[in-house]
Amino acid sequence: MPENLRVDTDGLERAAAALQPVAERLRVLAEGVGRQLNALGDPAGDDKFGRQFKGKHDPSAQLVIEGVTGVGRALTEARTGLSKMASLFEAAETGATRTTSRLNSAIGEGGTSTGGGRR
């Protein structure tokens, strides 16, 4: 006999809600780091060593900003996915309940039948 599937949709919604503030903080952090890096100007200089430093520093700094922004985006997408998952589980439950009620009503109809109805 198959086991019942139980899903805590309220728990999914709570988890989804908890992700959004973290995603927002990461977005603000990435923007702040970008502003701070831009405010520094060009700390490398224009000589050979400065250009070498800049060639390694700038791409690395951009990767950090993109990484933090990407994690924030991923958390936002996870929040959206969890909320949608909770809604889909609730809709499935509602649909199953309606179908069961219709079947029980149909089985229970028919006069003197000893069967039918939910057991």
Side-chain angles (χ1 to χ4, degrees), residues 7-115:
V7 177
D8 181 4
T9 55
D10 291 335
L12 288 173
E13 288 291 350
R14 284 191 303 275
L19 290 176
Q20 191 56 41
V22 177
E24 180 63 17
R25 285 194 298 268
L26 287 170
R27 184 189 64 77
V28 169
L29 174 67
E31 288 176 359
V33 168
R35 280 193 304 273
Q36 289 175 349
L37 287 172
N38 288 334
L40 291 174
D42 188 5
D46 198 24
D47 61 358
K48 176 182 173 184
F49 296 110
R51 286 190 298 275
Q52 286 176 345
F53 175 79
K54 184 176 179 70
K56 297 210 185 306
H57 172 271
D58 289 0
S60 296
Q62 189 59 38
L63 284 174
V64 169
I65 293 169
E66 289 172 6
V68 171
T69 301
V71 170
R73 240 185 266 119
L75 288 175
T76 297
E77 289 175 16
R79 178 196 56 81
T80 301
L82 286 171
S83 291
K84 187 169 190 155
M85 186 186 310
S87 295
L88 290 171
F89 276 123
E90 288 171 354
E93 180 181 29
T94 299
T97 300
R98 286 182 184 150
T99 300
T100 300
S101 293
R102 282 195 305 268
L103 286 171
N104 284 336
S105 294
I107 292 170
E109 294 176 357
T112 61
S113 171
T114 59

